Amino acid sequence: MSEPAIRSILDTDLYKLTMQQGVLELHQDAQAKYLFTNRRKEGVWTPKAYDVFRSGIDTMQHLAMGKSERTWLAQRCPYLKPQYIEYLSNYRYDPDEVSVELVDGEINLEINGPWHRTILWEVPLMALLSDTYFKVIDADWNSDGQADKIVTKSKILEGCTFADFGTRRRRQYESQERVVRIFKKHSKGFVGTSNVHLAHLHDVLPIGTMAHEWIMGHSVLSSLRHANRYALEAWQKVYGGLLGVALTDTFGTEAFFADFDPSLARLYDGVRHDSGDPFIFAEKVERFYTRLKIDAKTKTIVFSDGLNPGKAAALKKHCDQLGIKCSFGIGTNFTNDFGSKALNIVIKLRELNGIPVVKLSDDAGKATGDPDAVRVAKWTFLGEPL
């Protein structure tokens, strides 16, 4: 019998745990809705693939954190409080929170329930979707040469600080495990992985802070126009200066920097880039810190948008010239580099407490959400007519 696609309740990205703790502390009554989007429809989902995926969802209800995982989590992640780790120890996935159907060869998927519960579904469901697709639909591939590819990438990345961010769109569990294992052995610049289970398995650092949904949620809970500011302030209430990398592009970087006031800019260790031209972004960040009389050399940019090793190496050179530190989170190019295209799929927060939320970003193609709500957000942040 084959191993399940999702091996552990910790087989997810760290930022899901850190955000879940924040939601439990500050917004325990919030109700959430998430929707799945297939950005690039490559193949047709078959009834067999649907059944495999549905079965995988049902299997997840049996996942539970083990004693060694709990001990390791408390030691490695001191920012996760004992009461949260106790909550996670008792957490079980409830498949009734996930509604999925097959319509005209496409998967329709929706998640509904308390935000503090449903927040954990996104990452493993995306990994499960990808695993299913490449086992049942696009199954004409193999892992030949993958280990050599990873070693080659480690050489290209020499001098860079980087982490594996490849859980959500990995080809299969084994492809990500291989990446973490080989990079740990061959690369001094490899600092860890976003995948908490694999960080535990290989005793490397789990990497992550917040995702877009934290800021999107605060557009409902606090203020649309100043969602960035309120989300970052709320983060500090929970973490008090720890996990200090701020995500910049939820409503576009101009809106972010308008809210990233001098006190926040000094408090946070740096910023994460996830859309738009990264070279221009680096220059903008350096100018921003310089204008505030903050030494850019004390801050870090984390790049995480569609990277490959060559692009990361070029960005490192660019940041060195600007005089600002940088690191890289590389996902699909690490864990789904098999010749045939990886899926381009997302599961995004759609509503909080029945109110639509949106994401704009610096790439027009990445805007998500209810069309009317997107128009309101574009009017609010970009001045576009309603």
Side-chain angles (χ1 to χ4, degrees):
M1 185 175 179
S2 62
E3 291 278 358
I6 309 301
R7 305 290 174 89
S8 161
I9 205 161
L10 299 185
D11 191 3
T12 189
D13 287 338
L14 178 64
Y15 65 32
K16 282 296 176 176
L17 305 189
T18 55
M19 289 191 300
Q20 185 181 46
Q21 176 172 258
V23 171
L24 280 164
E25 283 199 23
L26 302 178
H27 308 298
Q28 198 170 115
D29 296 330
Q31 297 291 310
K33 175 181 179 178
Y34 297 79
L35 287 183
F36 165 73
T37 301
N38 187 356
R39 287 174 170 167
R40 187 185 65 241
K41 299 178 181 179
E42 289 291 335
V44 175
W45 284 81
T46 63
K48 180 182 178 182
Y50 168 81
D51 289 343
V52 171
F53 177 58
R54 179 74 257 187
S55 177
I57 294 173
D58 292 338
T59 299
M60 286 175 62
Q61 66 187 299
H62 303 298
L63 296 173
M65 188 160 63
K67 184 176 179 180
S68 66
E69 291 177 317
R70 177 172 178 160
T71 301
W72 175 86
L73 199 64
Q75 292 172 343
R76 269 291 197 172
C77 305
Y79 44 81
L80 296 179
K81 301 166 188 178
Q83 60 268 34
Y84 170 68
I85 294 179
E86 180 68 21
Y87 170 90
L88 190 60
S89 296
N90 292 298
Y91 180 95
R92 300 294 183 274
Y93 282 106
D94 180 359
D96 289 339
E97 293 169 346
V98 181
S99 172
V100 59
E101 58 182 355
L102 182 65
V103 179
D104 297 328
E106 283 296 324
I107 293 289
N108 287 353
L109 187 150
E110 185 175 307
I111 306 162
N112 288 278
W115 194 18
H116 67 82
R117 284 196 47 80
T118 54
I119 198 169
L120 285 195
W121 277 109
E122 175 198 349
V123 171
L125 281 184
M126 289 180 65
L128 179 59
L129 275 164
S130 185
D131 181 272
T132 302
Y133 183 87
F134 289 107
K135 279 181 179 174
V136 180
I137 299 173
D138 180 4
D140 187 19
W141 57 274
N142 59 59
S143 298
D144 293 350
Q146 284 296 306
D148 291 338
K149 272 188 178 182
I150 297 165
V151 173
T152 298
K153 288 172 183 179
S154 73
K155 294 176 181 177
I156 297 171
L157 287 162
E158 189 171 344
C160 296
T161 298
F162 67 96
D164 155 52
F165 277 16
T167 306
R168 295 182 304 152
R169 298 187 184 100
R170 68 192 185 196
R171 184 144 300 202
Q172 57 181 189
Y173 170 87
E174 289 81 5
S175 65
Q176 189 175 22
E177 187 278 329
R178 183 186 305 114
V179 162
V180 175
R181 172 168 37 87
I182 294 176
F183 275 136
K184 181 183 178 181
K185 180 178 179 181
H186 288 277
S187 179
K188 293 180 180 178
F190 179 64
V191 293
T193 174
S194 62
N195 188 289
V196 187
H197 161 69
L198 290 174
H200 170 235
L201 184 67
H202 291 288
D203 194 27
V204 299
L205 190 67
I207 305 287
T209 52
M210 68 185 74
H212 295 105
E213 70 174 286
W214 180 256
I215 302 166
M216 293 162 67
H218 282 82
S219 71
V220 169
L221 297 165
S222 301
S223 157
L224 173 59
R225 183 175 294 276
H226 298 295
N228 286 294
R229 181 189 307 163
Y230 288 114
L232 294 178
E233 289 173 348
W235 194 255
Q236 291 307 316
K237 289 180 184 177
V238 179
Y239 292 104
L242 300 174
L243 302 179
V245 175
L247 182 56
T248 60
D249 70 325
T250 308
F251 301 110
T253 53
E254 294 303 322
F256 172 83
F257 284 115
D259 271 356
F260 202 45
D261 61 33
S263 62
L264 289 172
R266 286 175 171 80
L267 179 61
Y268 276 81
D269 301 322
V271 295
R272 178 158 75 91
H273 169 270
D274 199 48
S275 65
D277 187 310
F279 294 91
I280 293 174
F281 178 83
E283 295 165 6
K284 185 182 296 186
V285 171
E286 190 276 334
R287 289 195 301 269
F288 172 80
Y289 283 127
T290 299
R291 188 169 66 251
L292 294 182
K293 296 184 171 23
I294 296 172
D295 186 355
K297 294 184 180 67
T298 66
K299 301 297 182 179
T300 299
I301 303 174
V302 179
F303 294 96
S304 62
D305 178 36
L307 295 175
N308 58 52
K311 189 174 184 179
L315 280 166
K316 174 64 164 63
K317 183 177 180 181
H318 188 60
C319 288
D320 286 348
Q321 291 170 344
L322 291 171
I324 190 167
K325 293 183 290 185
C326 64
S327 65
F328 306 93
I330 302 179
T332 305
N333 190 266
F334 278 174
T335 64
N336 206 331
D337 182 16
F338 288 80
S340 60
K341 286 183 179 180
L343 296 179
N344 190 351
I345 55 177
V346 294
I347 296 173
K348 289 293 183 185
L349 185 67
R350 184 76 170 199
E351 295 179 2
L352 203 64
N353 294 337
I355 301 173
V357 299
V358 305
K359 173 178 172 287
L360 297 183
S361 95
D362 288 328
D363 291 331
K366 284 188 172 183
T368 60
D370 174 82
D372 288 335
V374 169
R375 282 196 292 272
V376 170
K378 286 185 174 180
W379 174 80
T380 300
F381 294 111
L382 304 176
E384 293 187 9
L386 291 171

